């Protein structure tokens, strides 16, 4: 079954990003210039392009304060840059928001949504690859229940 990816970002400053930037400074990442957080949602099932748009607008974002991009996942390609980190739950770890996405999608009439998952994307500016990995391990991901890339 196809898997759809929704990337949701704030139209203005996301307060979480400011909090993460403050936390990175406390951990000694003084070269970090900026960090921006975005929400990731994945939905598996049979969904039409119109339903994809409706899911993004009616369920996964706030159209007043957020924008979203939706795409169908295809074969993975090697990363071309290391300016962002994606964090998601490991397989088998309970993702309560994902469970509610499936439930709410069904209630809204999107019968094709079978499974869902959530994650976060962090854009980082000013760190080298090794520092990005250290930042992910120390702050952005809980290695017991999450994986990052």
């Amino acid at each position: 079954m196809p898997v759809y990816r929704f990337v949701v970002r704030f139209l203005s400053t996301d307060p979480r990003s400011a909090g993460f930037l403050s936390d990175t400074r406390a951990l000694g990442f003084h070269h970090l210039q900026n960090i921006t957080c975005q929400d990731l949602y994945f939905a598996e099932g049979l969904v039409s392009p119109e339903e994809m748009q409706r899911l993004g607008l009616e369920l996964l974002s706030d159209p007043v304060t957020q924008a979203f991009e939706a795409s169908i996942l295809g074969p993975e390609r090697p990363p071309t840059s290391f300016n962002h980190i994606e964090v998601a739950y490991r397989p088998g770890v309970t993702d309560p928001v994902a469970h509610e996405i499936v439930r709410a999608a069904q209630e809204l009439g999107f019968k094709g949504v079978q499974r869902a998952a959530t994650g976060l994307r962090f854009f980082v500016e000013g760190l080298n690859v090794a520092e990005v990995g250290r930042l992910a391990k120390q702050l952005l991901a809980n290695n017991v229940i999450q994986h990052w890339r």
Side-chain angles (χ1 to χ4, degrees):
M1 267 192 224
V3 176
Y4 306 90
R5 168 188 275 205
F6 298 84
V7 179
V8 179
R9 64 176 173 78
F10 277 86
L11 296 172
S12 61
T13 306
D14 177 3
R16 296 175 301 178
S17 299
F20 280 114
L21 185 59
S22 176
D23 292 344
T24 61
R25 298 281 194 264
L27 289 171
F29 291 93
H30 300 293
H31 292 96
L32 182 68
Q33 298 163 355
N34 193 26
I35 187 166
T36 305
C37 182
Q38 298 177 339
D39 294 298
L40 298 175
Y41 301 102
F42 303 91
E44 183 179 7
L46 297 174
V47 179
S48 71
E50 295 80 22
E51 289 175 320
M52 262 178 60
Q53 287 297 91
R54 283 190 53 218
L55 271 171
L57 284 172
E58 296 176 22
L59 183 59
L60 302 175
S61 69
D62 174 357
V64 174
T65 61
Q66 297 174 315
F68 75 93
E69 296 172 17
S71 60
I72 299 173
L73 287 184
E76 285 198 41
R77 289 170 269 155
T80 56
S81 69
F82 297 96
N83 68 337
H84 72 273
I85 301 165
E86 293 187 358
V87 177
Y89 287 109
R90 293 184 182 279
V93 174
T94 301
D95 185 346
V97 174
H99 174 75
E100 289 303 310
I101 289 170
V102 173
R103 184 196 59 73
Q106 299 283 324
E107 279 188 20
L108 290 171
F110 303 108
K111 303 298 181 198
V113 177
Q114 302 299 311
R115 293 190 313 166
T118 63
L120 292 171
R121 176 186 287 168
F122 299 94
F123 284 94
V124 294
E125 297 173 31
L127 298 181
N128 63 39
V129 174
E131 290 172 319
V132 169
R134 195 165 55 92
L135 176 63
K137 289 177 187 173
Q138 288 184 332
L139 178 65
L140 304 178
N142 177 341
N143 286 322
V144 174
I145 61 170
Q146 295 171 312
H147 58 92
W148 59 272
R149 182 181 146 142

